[in-house]
Amino acid sequence: MLLDVDMPGMDGYSVCRRLRAERRYATVPIVMVTGHEDSEAISRAFDAGATDFVSKPVNWVLLPHRIAYILRNAAAAERIERLAYFDTLTGLPNRQRCVETAELFFGAASLAQEGVAAVYMDLNGFKRVNDTFGHAVGDAVLQNVAGKLTQLLDGFRARFEHLAIARFGGDEFVILLRHAQARSAAADVADACAALLSKPIIHDGLEFFSAPSIGIAVYPDDGPDVATVLKNSDTAMYQAKAGVSGSVVMYTASMSARLRDWLDLEGRLRRAVRDDVLQLQYQPKFRLGDNRLVGVEALLRWCDTEHGEIPATRFIEIAEDSGLIIDLGNWVVRGACRQLREWRSRGIEIPIAINVSGKELLHGDPARAIETEAAAAGVPTHLIEVEITESLLVKDSARVRDALERLRRLGCRIALDDFGTGYSSLAYITRFPPDRIKIDKAFVRNLDRSASDAAIANAILSLGESLSVTVTAEGIERSGQLEWLRRRGCHEAQGFLLSRPLPPGQLEERFLASAANGPDCGPSALIIDRR
């Protein structure tokens, strides 16, 4: 832009300052043209934001070369700016540009008495795309998502003038919206994004589903500055992730309190693992044909000095989210192997089942942990049974299959837990038949009262018989359930009716007293446990 200093109405210095205040003109080269050559005039030009200064009379032979030089420098500066402020994969603004845009929006909103909404979006299950198909396919999916979101927002710009989107990092995107009704406007945009991304993304003949979890926080209601509002929108997004896939959650102050509690418990759990203050309890499994105790399931318990007993569902969720689940799993293996050593030293040999999560199979090495700890304790690995959930088997990833094969080569038995709840195809079970199927308690609860639950339980028992797989029913709490399972030929059972999870001492006292001759319990021990 060639800009004369002396103009009617508004001089060139003022025009230059106004242009520089607009983001779209922030990097445009501006050359001031003037007959004033004093140092004050030159300083005023550069203070106003000029790129260069040309004196009159203009040398028209030199000027094109000077402009070409300025443009080359401007192009280089623009490339540097794109690297600094734009994501190279999707072309969207990056985190830094997002923060700067938010600061501009916040400032303008404060003057106009408007609000600014931050819509924080995370793609659920996207990591599986990278793990299964590689980063090249993952990058293509992200580019597809960025394109779809950009196109969607273009349709909203007629309603909302001040709208911006950025790739915040990984599979996270942030949309900023400045409006007098920012909260309701952001809800409309977020719902549209959730609906758009609930549909499959097609790439190279494959369909990918990555429904987002979306959190919304609004300035100034949910925070006085950019950092706080973005943090709170992220908190709301994690709240959405804990609910239904594809859900949208508005931030509330109570979420921050829950997050503080979460972080406090995470720190306490890390110390509990480090200081070896967790406990294992053992729930017996009985063979219904002869009432014999055939094994126990190790269940992790944590009693915090300040909070008391922490429910397993609570601290396991924290461990999964924080990555602590690998260390926690190794702690369980170590504790189970030590207990096996203690029992075997007194002539008691009884298998222990441990639960292994998907993250342990995908990112840890449970086979190596079992092999190492069993060798250290001097116990055979065939006394360790590994329980995995049905949904994990359905994922059918090569890494999961390899981890299970390594466990089986060690001699560990594989049990499929929560069977019937993971939408399993029978093809998965025939490709990798487990040693045991556990009927989920959801179907055991009313199998003696509900025809549909009874039909499902019967089908699972028939499947176990056809595949020569042991079937264990869990969650038995009433005599009617137990008798129904016994009549239908169910192999094994566990539940509160038979015994609650017990510390090792109580388990030995009640069920292992005659263990030297083989763990056994008389028929009366299977009737009812009121404790």
Side-chain angles (χ1 to χ4, degrees):
M1 184 174 294
L2 295 177
L3 183 60
D4 205 327
V5 170
D6 294 321
M7 297 188 297
M10 183 183 294
D11 64 27
Y13 304 126
S14 300
V15 173
C16 188
R17 280 191 292 270
R18 290 281 296 276
L19 290 169
R20 289 304 191 211
E22 293 280 344
R23 178 178 288 278
R24 54 185 170 161
Y25 299 126
T27 60
V28 172
I30 298 176
V31 178
M32 301 289 283
V33 183
T34 180
H36 305 287
E37 295 185 306
D38 57 281
S39 61
E40 181 185 354
I42 295 173
S43 297
R44 289 183 68 190
F46 286 116
D47 288 344
T51 307
D52 203 354
F53 186 94
V54 175
S55 299
K56 292 180 181 179
V58 175
N59 185 330
W60 296 106
V61 175
L62 180 60
L63 183 61
H65 298 285
R66 191 163 184 171
I67 290 175
Y69 174 77
I70 292 170
L71 290 174
R72 282 198 301 272
N73 286 344
E78 185 178 354
R79 284 195 297 272
I80 292 171
E81 184 189 28
R82 288 203 65 82
L83 289 172
Y85 289 108
F86 289 85
D87 173 48
T88 56
L89 177 65
T90 63
L92 294 177
N94 61 12
R95 178 190 293 260
Q96 180 63 33
R97 175 52 63 88
C98 178
V99 170
E100 292 184 5
T101 301
E103 288 172 345
L104 290 173
F105 277 15
F106 279 33
S110 180
L111 294 174
Q113 294 187 330
E114 295 178 336
V116 179
V119 181
Y120 204 115
M121 187 183 318
D122 176 87
L123 303 181
N124 295 320
F126 177 76
K127 189 177 184 305
R128 290 200 301 270
V129 177
N130 281 334
D131 289 344
T132 306
F133 298 99
H135 286 276
V137 173
D139 288 349
V141 171
L142 283 175
Q143 289 172 328
N144 193 311
V145 169
K148 287 178 179 292
L149 289 175
T150 301
Q151 187 176 9
L152 175 70
L153 294 184
D154 286 343
F156 275 100
R157 294 189 190 279
R159 293 171 54 193
F160 311 124
E161 179 182 358
H162 305 289
L163 194 61
I165 182 173
R167 182 188 177 199
F168 220 54
D171 57 353
E172 296 177 339
F173 297 85
V174 170
I175 297 170
L176 299 172
L177 192 157
R178 176 187 143 206
H179 194 266
Q181 303 295 327
R183 192 174 298 276
S184 60
D188 290 344
V189 171
D191 288 340
C193 291
L196 174 72
L197 297 180
S198 66
K199 300 171 185 176
I201 296 167
I202 300 173
H203 172 73
D204 200 20
L206 297 171
E207 288 187 346
F208 300 95
F209 291 86
S210 290
S213 295
I214 302 175
I216 301 173
V218 179
Y219 167 84
D221 298 347
D222 300 327
D225 52 51
V226 172
T228 303
V229 171
L230 287 174
K231 175 178 70 69
N232 290 340
S233 64
D234 185 29
T235 298
M237 182 273 291
Y238 272 100
Q239 191 73 18
K241 191 176 283 290
V244 178
S245 179
S247 60
V248 177
V249 171
M250 287 282 181
Y251 173 79
T252 62
S254 61
M255 292 178 188
S256 290
R258 283 196 295 271
L259 180 60
R260 285 193 295 271
D261 292 342
W262 180 285
L263 293 174
D264 176 59
L265 282 177
E266 180 186 331
R268 290 175 176 275
L269 182 57
R270 288 187 183 278
R271 290 191 293 273
V273 174
R274 182 195 65 199
D275 298 340
D276 203 24
V277 296
L278 300 170
Q279 295 177 331
L280 286 178
Q281 293 188 358
Y282 299 91
Q283 185 168 28
K285 289 184 290 190
F286 299 98
R287 188 162 57 209
L288 294 181
D290 58 7
N291 298 336
R292 187 181 180 87
L293 179 68
V294 291
V296 294
E297 179 181 356
L299 298 170
L300 193 58
R301 296 292 183 260
W302 176 30
C303 184
D304 182 69
T305 54
E306 181 175 327
H307 298 285
E309 291 287 344
I310 309 294
T313 52
R314 175 70 167 158
F315 69 77
I316 293 297
E317 181 185 11
I318 292 173
E320 288 270 7
D321 183 74
S322 64
L324 187 58
I325 192 68
I326 306 296
D327 293 336
L328 207 60
N330 292 340
W331 190 96
V332 171
V333 170
R334 189 177 309 116
C337 288
R338 289 173 178 174
Q339 188 60 64
L340 284 171
R341 178 182 61 193
E342 185 175 336
W343 281 339
R344 293 185 84 229
S345 69
R346 289 183 279 131
I348 304 170
E349 189 155 303
I350 183 169
I352 294 179
I354 61 173
N355 292 279
V356 174
S357 74
K359 286 194 175 180
E360 289 177 84
L361 287 173
L362 288 169
H363 307 296
D365 194 349
R368 182 176 182 180
I370 290 173
E371 185 176 26
T372 301
E373 295 299 339
V379 298
T381 52
H382 73 261
L383 289 178
I384 298 288
E385 181 174 292
V386 172
E387 292 191 7
I388 65 170
T389 60
E390 179 189 8
S391 56
L392 181 61
L393 189 63
V394 171
K395 291 177 184 176
D396 197 34
S397 81
R399 192 171 181 86
V400 169
R401 289 198 305 273
D402 179 64
L404 294 176
E405 288 286 2
R406 292 181 62 200
L407 287 165
R408 186 160 276 171
R409 286 197 296 271
L410 279 179
C412 299
R413 290 167 60 85
I414 307 296
L416 206 55
D417 200 7
D418 303 334
F419 190 78
T421 63
Y423 312 105
S424 176
S425 162
L426 297 183
Y428 296 109
I429 299 175
T430 56
R431 279 205 297 271
F432 195 95
D435 301 292
R436 180 192 310 280
I437 292 173
K438 299 187 76 174
I439 307 177
D440 187 73
K441 59 186 177 184
F443 303 117
V444 173
R445 185 177 298 117
N446 293 312
L447 53 70
D448 57 333
R449 299 172 177 173
S450 164
S452 58
D453 285 352
I456 292 172
N458 265 321
I460 296 173
L461 288 167
S462 298
L463 176 66
E465 183 178 359
S466 300
L467 297 177
S468 299
V469 172
T470 300
V471 179
T472 302
E474 57 183 350
I476 298 172
E477 298 180 352
R478 293 182 287 103
S479 299
Q481 299 165 320
L482 182 65
E483 292 310 313
W484 188 98
L485 290 162
R486 198 193 299 274
R487 289 196 304 271
R488 298 306 192 281
C490 183
H491 303 115
E492 298 172 1
Q494 68 179 114
F496 285 3
L497 176 73
L498 310 178
S499 175
R500 293 176 179 273
L502 299 170
Q506 292 184 31
L507 181 76
E508 295 166 21
E509 180 184 345
R510 294 190 54 201
F511 299 113
L512 304 180
S514 57
N517 300 319
D520 197 9
C521 59
S524 60
L526 278 176
I527 302 304
I528 278 186
D529 177 10
R530 296 293 185 189
R531 285 169 284 185

